[in-house]
Amino acid sequence: MSLFDKRLTPTEAPKRGRYSAGVMEYRDMGYWQPDYEPKDTDIIAVFRVTPQDGVDPVEASAAVAGESSTATWTVVWTDRLTACDKYRAKCYRVDPVPNAPGVYFAFIAYELDLFEPGSIANLAASIIGNVFGFKPLKALRLEDMRFPVAYVKTFQGPATGIVVERERLDKFGRPLLGATVKPKLGLSGRNYGRVVYEALKGGLDFTKDDENINSQPFMHWRDRFLYCMEAVNKAQAATGEVKGSYLNITAATMEDMYERAEFAKELGSVIVMIDLVIGYTAIQSMAKWARRNDMILHLHRAGHSTYTRQKNHGVSFRVIAKWMRLAGVDHIHAGTVVGKLEGDPNATRGYYDICREDYNPQNLEHGLFFDQHWASLNKLMPVASGGIHAGQMHQLIDLLGEDVVLQFGGGTIGHPMGIAAGATANRVALEAMIFARNAGRDILQEGPQILEDAAKACTPLKQALDTWKDVSFNYASTDTPDFVPTVTPAE
Amino acid sequence: MRITQGCFSFLPDLTDDQIRSQAQYIIDKGWAVNLEYTDDPHPRNTYWEMWDLPMFDVKDAAAVMIELDACRKAHGDRFYIRLSGFDASHGWESVRISFIVGRPKTEPGFRLLRQEGPGRRQIYATQAYAADRPEGDRYKS
Amino acid sequence: MEGSEISMESGSSAPPETIDLRRELAETHVQDVLDQLDRELVGLAPVKKRIRQIAALLIVDRVRRRMGLESETPTLHMSFTGNPGTGKTTVALRMAQILHKLGYIRKGHLVSVTRDDLVGQYIGHTAPKTKEILKKAMGGVLFIDEAYYLYRQENERDYGQEAIEILLQVMENQREDLVVILAGYAERMDQFFRSNPGFRSRIAHHIDFPDYTDPELMQIAKSMLAAQSYKFSEAGEAAFESYIAARRKQPLFSNARSIRNALDRARLRHANRYFEQDGPVSLDDLMTIDAPDVLASRVFDSHPSEK
């Protein structure tokens, strides 16, 4: 019966012509092709599909392919005016999720021509546009994507990248240190700059505006920028080191954002910051602006947990990380594992690899479903922020490596001897740990001893260790990879 | 004041054995070891003077220490000396670690110059107090 | 590193009364290197004996230090004398491994140089060249072949003198960073040491490499061939025996190296012999060096009767 489509499913032939008017199962419309071998130029997505009770998983997966590409609920004859075989997304594999009855991984291949070059907005509109509300599905989650090199090359990538950022800052061989100014709301510009000055002079490389510091009644943005840059320049002269403060330029309109970015540049800031909530288009615009203006672009992933955290529905953070590397930001918050915010160690390793490697081999334990070539796109610096302190330095370096910004907000500003002392404690802990690692010591085992030894010559570190020694956030992660190295048989 | 550029400036000055351990780490990573010195430690002074060519083919840190000793003899405590590791592999092709291994006995630090600009703006410049004197004559030995 | 491991061992229990030196030999894997030397070098019995003696000394020294007995860093610089092709470089390579396994040098690599690598062409050229080589050799063994060329008696202003001075300084002051082996013909080395007593006093071990005997060279030839999947026919072997006897009498004889060169030329003739004749060739033919492949050598020109 494959009268019109030679590549129709071998399992179940349609009962009538492919293009007869009416409703037809997605799997019979060509969206299920178990024999299809994805081309090197295809974009591939894997979804976690939870069909409604009684809905066949293959049909549900084919529907996802259809609704995220060419299909609509009924057959349309206008398909025949197009090379529709080519444009149809093809679900080519449906696997049950390990240890999760009724949930399936659907692998779907998309023809490259379905997408506008260099546009995350277009990519998102296609892949997560309509389909997440589709009624026959209880829940749907975009787990991972594979982008062909041809598509990767249509993006600018990080405006600055890890290598050039380090060269510009003249800081090599160790994680960068930052802190978010606290309290996050309410400080006047003058008081805000004091925190920045103390923290930078004490030894941090960066301070940071919080995600919701924009231009409120208690502190308007120009005031903040002027006081921050006074603090940055004073700290630079006091230490002989390059310093920076992420000036948050997030605003209501693009025009406002450009105005704030230009002002930051005029004041000589090395870095500006945006929030994920400004949207993909605005992010790409700012990335291009940052490339044109030699500016490091920090992205705070504000809002992401609304759709990344729950395992059954939404978009995995690893997809967001991939999109952001393409979109062209230089910093992205990617989790701490040990801090106060969600982050499974293995999944977090996967995010960090996406940010920093030129090639990610498939690694199911880390949640990476596909090999991904980054085609020499700049590396993206991950940022670890939220509930971390100097006493965890060995764990942080062991887990996250050295190409990362470690942000100790409370861990700096909450120090009993003051902000500068808090900054010094963090910097000494960091340098001592990197030194010990390079000298061949097992920092994970000997970490506490190394910190204690370093504290002998540094009272602020001693106090930091005493103050926060027992603080940890041990809660079960909600978003963990589904594949474990060795499967333990259920008793 | 103490200039805190580099990886280990917040630790007490490194002993020769400590420097050796870090140099060996660099060599074992397959990176080239580089020695540079300057008496203009401005944070934007990228190009310190090279002490000979980068050491590409050495296997043991003893070789680095020979050069470091020679560099100290020549420039002693009137200059800053830094040791760095350069990674030539694709995707990096840059410095991977850098730290100060010698500094003048006294470090007078930097003056922050300000110029009034429009709209409450300040135009800042950082200037080393020592930079007023000619090169080679900036720090007392 | 080494020190801390050792102190941990002895710290956990009272110092042992007796020490098993053989176990020491096995645990440091020095025995493996000695065995390897036995396998890869034919004959050379006196050399191998000396190496074993030196290894024994170093092991005892190591144990003594561990037990807290007084001992300073031993001088380990050596001289290897003998004719070309007597295995000096190979032994130096293994010596570097032994020293490394016993913890006397940190890396165990061998940097092999001659005068040209150390001595420059103009003023100010030599010191950087010598230093560059020394830096590469740090943590390992510096092997200076035909070391006597560093010293030119007839020319006082020869740049070699500068290299010698730098070498002597490093050999004295950086004994834990570098071991130097000077190598060359026996008589010329003797003369070199007489003219440069500084070197003589810094050399701890002299090893003399004797020439190979004819049967040893035959054995070397066979193992070289075997390594390349060749063998002699009976007539070929007889021819090669007479080749060895004749070659030894001629100038520029260099032991194993001469054998290797002779075999390379024999393989060339062997290949061409089969090209020149018609008909198919068997696998065995492809593997067998026969008398004509050897006898065509120019070595036999002065002995027409053997041809």
Side-chain angles (χ1 to χ4, degrees):
Chain A
M1 282 298 286
S2 346
L3 209 55
F4 304 100
D5 188 342
K6 295 266 185 281
R7 290 189 302 164
L8 263 185
T9 164
T11 50
E12 221 177 301
K15 306 283 183 293
R16 55 190 170 79
R18 165 66 178 83
Y19 294 102
S20 311
V23 177
M24 182 183 242
E25 291 207 330
Y26 287 92
R27 62 192 297 162
D28 295 333
M29 291 196 285
Y31 298 109
W32 165 239
Q33 295 194 19
D35 292 334
Y36 182 75
E37 284 204 20
K39 294 177 290 182
D40 285 346
T41 53
D42 285 344
I43 287 179
I44 307 175
V46 56
F47 292 89
R48 181 191 302 263
V49 181
T50 314
Q52 296 281 13
D53 297 341
V55 175
D56 176 55
V58 167
E59 173 60 10
S61 301
V64 171
E67 289 297 322
S68 61
S69 62
T70 53
T72 185
W73 61 278
T74 183
V75 171
V76 291
W77 67 267
T78 41
D79 262 349
R80 305 187 69 184
L81 306 177
T82 71
C84 55
D85 292 349
K86 185 180 171 75
Y87 296 140
R88 220 172 265 139
K90 296 146 188 94
C91 179
Y92 62 92
R93 204 173 126 192
V94 176
D95 294 344
V97 173
N99 309 313
V103 188
Y104 302 86
F105 284 130
F107 292 78
I108 298 173
Y110 298 84
E111 166 66 34
L112 190 52
D113 280 358
L114 291 173
F115 304 94
E116 176 175 344
S119 169
I120 298 292
N122 169 260
L123 179 72
S126 297
I127 305 291
I128 59 171
N130 256 343
V131 63
F132 280 66
F134 194 52
K135 274 185 180 167
L137 305 176
K138 248 188 228 163
L140 181 66
R141 188 188 203 218
L142 177 56
E143 283 291 334
D144 198 4
M145 295 190 75
R146 193 285 309 261
F147 302 108
V149 165
Y151 184 68
V152 172
K153 279 292 193 189
T154 63
F155 287 88
Q156 166 194 283
T160 314
I162 289 178
V163 175
V164 175
E165 170 169 354
R166 285 189 172 284
E167 289 181 344
R168 238 180 245 170
L169 301 173
D170 189 37
K171 296 175 194 292
F172 307 96
R174 62 167 175 85
L176 302 178
L177 279 181
T180 308
V181 174
K182 306 280 174 181
K184 48 203 293 184
L185 296 170
L187 289 172
S188 69
R190 192 169 190 274
N191 294 337
Y192 197 92
R194 163 63 71 184
V195 178
V196 171
Y197 174 57
E198 297 293 328
L200 295 180
K201 188 185 64 170
L204 300 193
D205 304 302
F206 288 128
T207 49
K208 169 180 169 293
D209 291 344
D210 225 331
E211 73 280 4
N212 50 352
I213 280 288
N214 300 137
S215 196
Q216 281 103 326
F218 51 82
M219 174 169 63
H220 289 107
W221 68 273
R222 280 180 66 93
D223 230 25
R224 184 171 85 251
F225 285 19
L226 284 164
Y227 280 116
C228 281
M229 289 316 293
E230 168 75 14
V232 164
N233 282 287
K234 270 183 73 72
Q236 216 159 262
T239 60
E241 270 190 284
V242 178
K243 302 284 183 182
S245 194
Y246 317 161
L247 300 174
N248 192 349
I249 58 168
T250 298
T253 66
M254 272 323 284
E255 291 72 23
D256 289 334
M257 298 222 306
Y258 282 127
E259 184 191 2
R260 295 176 193 190
E262 289 292 341
F263 190 59
K265 184 183 83 169
E266 275 175 43
L267 294 179
S269 182
V270 292
I271 187 163
V272 295
M273 146 179 185
I274 51 176
D275 293 340
L276 183 60
V277 292
I278 66 174
Y280 303 129
T281 299
I283 290 171
Q284 280 196 273
S285 290
M286 288 325 300
K288 291 200 167 168
W289 182 91
R291 172 72 62 89
R292 274 200 307 279
N293 291 282
D294 299 327
M295 193 68 82
I296 301 166
L297 183 62
H298 177 97
L299 177 79
H300 187 295
R301 56 173 171 170
H304 82 97
S305 290
T306 50
Y307 45 89
T308 61
R309 190 171 182 190
Q310 295 305 322
K311 218 168 159 174
N312 63 342
H313 191 82
V315 180
S316 160
F317 183 71
R318 78 182 56 88
V319 173
I320 302 297
K322 286 185 176 181
W323 290 0
M324 288 304 105
R325 185 166 178 183
L326 294 172
V329 301
D330 289 316
H331 285 185
I332 188 166
H333 290 242
T336 63
V337 181
V338 295
K340 71 177 178 183
L341 301 177
E342 167 77 25
D344 169 75
N346 284 325
T348 305
R349 280 204 177 91
Y351 309 152
Y352 274 64
D353 285 346
I354 287 168
C355 292
R356 298 189 297 200
E357 303 298 324
D358 192 45
Y359 172 68
N360 304 137
Q362 182 195 58
N363 186 338
L364 295 176
E365 288 161 35
H366 293 181
L368 303 179
F369 283 77
F370 307 107
D371 297 346
Q372 176 67 56
H373 281 280
W374 286 103
S376 296
L377 234 55
N378 281 342
K379 302 179 209 301
L380 164 54
M381 183 87 87
V383 176
S385 178
I388 55 178
H389 56 85
Q392 298 161 323
M393 197 58 84
H394 50 297
Q395 295 165 315
L396 289 166
I397 291 173
D398 179 71
L399 282 163
L400 310 178
E402 63 184 39
D403 287 303
V404 56
V405 185
L406 300 177
Q407 298 210 151
F408 302 88
T412 299
I413 296 158
H415 193 281
M417 284 168 73
I419 299 166
T424 303
N426 289 319
R427 180 76 176 267
V428 170
L430 175 73
E431 293 193 356
M433 203 56 68
I434 290 289
F435 183 92
R437 183 201 64 177
N438 297 357
R441 294 181 67 182
D442 178 354
I443 57 169
L444 205 53
Q445 293 301 318
E446 302 174 48
Q449 187 60 48
I450 293 164
L451 290 173
E452 213 172 285
D453 291 344
K456 282 177 193 151
C458 178
T459 313
L461 177 56
K462 176 97 184 61
Q463 285 201 305
L465 295 177
D466 290 347
T467 307
W468 292 302
K469 61 172 180 275
D470 296 324
V471 177
S472 64
F473 299 89
N474 290 324
Y475 301 96
S477 295
T478 52
D479 183 18
T480 53
D482 299 277
F483 300 91
V484 285
T486 46
V487 180
T488 325
E491 288 288 330
Chain B
M1 79 66 93
R2 181 182 171 88
I3 285 174
T4 52
Q5 293 172 19
C7 229
F8 304 125
S9 282
F10 272 76
L11 304 180
D13 282 345
L14 302 183
T15 65
D16 277 7
D17 278 346
Q18 288 179 319
I19 294 171
R20 201 188 308 261
S21 75
Q22 300 297 311
Q24 193 62 51
Y25 166 79
I26 294 172
I27 292 168
D28 293 345
K29 284 276 184 185
W31 304 337
V33 187
N34 204 19
L35 282 169
E36 294 159 287
Y37 62 95
T38 191
D39 62 356
D40 174 15
H42 189 282
R44 296 286 180 200
N45 176 17
T46 305
Y47 304 114
W48 293 24
E49 302 305 321
M50 290 169 72
W51 176 258
D52 218 332
L53 299 181
M55 289 171 254
F56 289 104
D57 301 316
V58 301
K59 286 204 159 52
D60 191 275
V64 177
M65 300 313 286
I66 292 176
E67 291 296 346
L68 178 57
D69 284 342
C71 182
R72 280 172 177 160
K73 267 192 197 116
H75 299 293
D77 41 16
R78 289 177 302 116
F79 285 78
Y80 290 89
I81 303 174
R82 76 179 171 203
L83 194 159
S84 58
F86 187 95
D87 179 2
S89 63
H90 175 252
W92 288 103
E93 290 145 315
S94 181
V95 178
R96 294 298 293 275
I97 181 172
S98 168
F99 53 97
I100 289 179
V101 292
R103 56 175 82 226
K105 281 210 186 79
T106 51
E107 299 179 81
F110 300 90
R111 166 193 300 134
L112 184 63
L113 296 175
R114 298 165 190 279
Q115 199 184 334
E116 307 296 328
R120 287 177 56 222
R121 244 170 279 177
Q122 302 275 310
I123 296 158
Y124 300 97
T126 310
Q127 198 179 53
Y129 291 109
D132 289 344
R133 289 186 294 277
E135 198 176 346
D137 200 23
R138 288 174 182 161
Y139 296 88
K140 299 271 182 321
S141 55
Chain C
M1 270 330 225
E2 208 79 30
S4 65
E5 279 170 30
I6 288 159
S7 66
M8 265 156 56
E9 278 170 28
S10 54
S12 58
S13 61
E17 291 292 309
T18 57
I19 294 127
D20 186 349
L21 287 175
R22 266 168 231 300
R23 215 185 69 190
E24 198 77 22
L25 190 68
E27 276 176 5
T28 53
H29 298 286
V30 167
Q31 187 60 53
D32 299 349
V33 183
L34 293 172
D35 292 346
Q36 189 184 0
L37 200 58
D38 262 341
R39 278 196 307 275
E40 68 191 341
L41 286 184
V42 170
L44 285 181
V47 173
K48 288 174 182 168
K49 194 173 156 198
R50 282 288 284 140
I51 302 290
R52 274 171 205 286
Q53 287 171 345
I54 294 170
L57 174 71
L58 294 179
I59 287 173
V60 168
D61 192 72
R62 182 179 138 108
V63 173
R64 279 170 54 94
R65 276 208 257 184
R66 193 167 66 204
M67 308 304 289
L69 293 178
E70 215 41 59
S71 86
E72 54 179 40
T73 310
T75 301
L76 292 166
H77 306 308
M78 303 178 195
S79 92
F80 287 6
T81 50
N83 291 327
T86 48
K88 293 191 291 294
T89 314
T90 308
V91 171
L93 214 56
R94 298 299 156 233
M95 181 54 84
Q97 287 180 331
I98 291 171
L99 293 173
H100 178 50
K101 287 183 194 298
L102 290 176
Y104 287 95
I105 50 177
R106 288 186 297 268
K107 294 287 162 187
H109 61 296
L110 182 84
V111 174
S112 181
V113 299
T114 59
R115 176 189 159 100
D116 288 351
D117 300 301
L118 297 167
V119 181
Q121 305 290 319
Y122 44 85
I123 291 181
H125 193 196
T126 299
K129 267 186 104 163
T130 305
K131 278 190 190 146
E132 206 51 45
I133 296 292
L134 285 170
K135 271 153 57 182
K136 276 185 198 165
M138 282 294 155
V141 170
L142 176 63
F143 181 82
I144 307 178
D145 205 7
E146 305 204 76
Y148 30 78
Y149 284 128
L150 289 175
Y151 177 71
R152 294 209 169 129
Q153 210 165 6
E154 65 283 2
N155 183 358
E156 268 181 33
R157 310 179 101 181
D158 180 64
Y159 296 130
Q161 192 57 40
E162 202 179 342
I164 288 175
E165 276 157 27
I166 296 170
L167 277 172
L168 284 175
Q169 204 185 344
V170 170
M171 285 167 75
E172 184 59 35
N173 297 337
Q174 295 191 272
R175 278 184 291 174
E176 63 283 2
D177 294 330
L178 176 69
V179 167
V180 176
I181 297 177
L182 305 172
Y185 289 108
E187 307 84 67
R188 302 198 57 179
M189 286 300 283
D190 274 351
Q191 204 189 343
F192 174 67
F193 284 130
R194 271 199 298 280
S195 321
N196 295 276
F199 274 119
R200 181 194 288 283
S201 66
R202 285 175 179 83
I203 299 281
H205 304 285
H206 292 269
I207 304 181
D208 195 50
F209 288 67
D211 279 348
Y212 286 107
T213 63
D214 285 7
E216 281 171 352
L217 288 175
M218 192 64 205
Q219 207 186 327
I220 290 170
K222 282 182 181 170
S223 64
M224 282 178 180
L225 284 184
Q228 297 171 298
S229 300
Y230 279 95
K231 61 184 167 47
F232 283 124
S233 68
E234 220 167 287
E237 185 170 337
F240 204 75
E241 245 171 70
S242 49
Y243 173 89
I244 292 171
R247 179 69 188 85
R248 187 188 284 285
K249 295 194 189 85
Q250 296 196 348
L252 298 176
F253 171 65
S254 57
N255 288 282
R257 207 172 306 155
S258 294
I259 299 299
R260 174 174 300 281
N261 293 341
L263 292 176
D264 284 348
R265 286 190 296 271
R267 280 169 45 225
L268 193 73
R269 290 187 210 107
H270 163 263
N272 280 283
R273 182 160 56 82
Y274 282 109
F275 257 98
E276 280 158 21
Q277 77 183 31
D278 294 331
V281 180
S282 74
L283 184 65
D284 197 54
D285 291 340
L286 288 180
M287 291 174 62
T288 308
I289 302 287
D290 204 359
D293 305 328
V294 177
L295 293 175
S297 164
R298 263 180 295 132
V299 166
F300 294 106
D301 286 355
S302 49
H303 307 276
S305 58
E306 283 181 40
K307 199 158 188 177

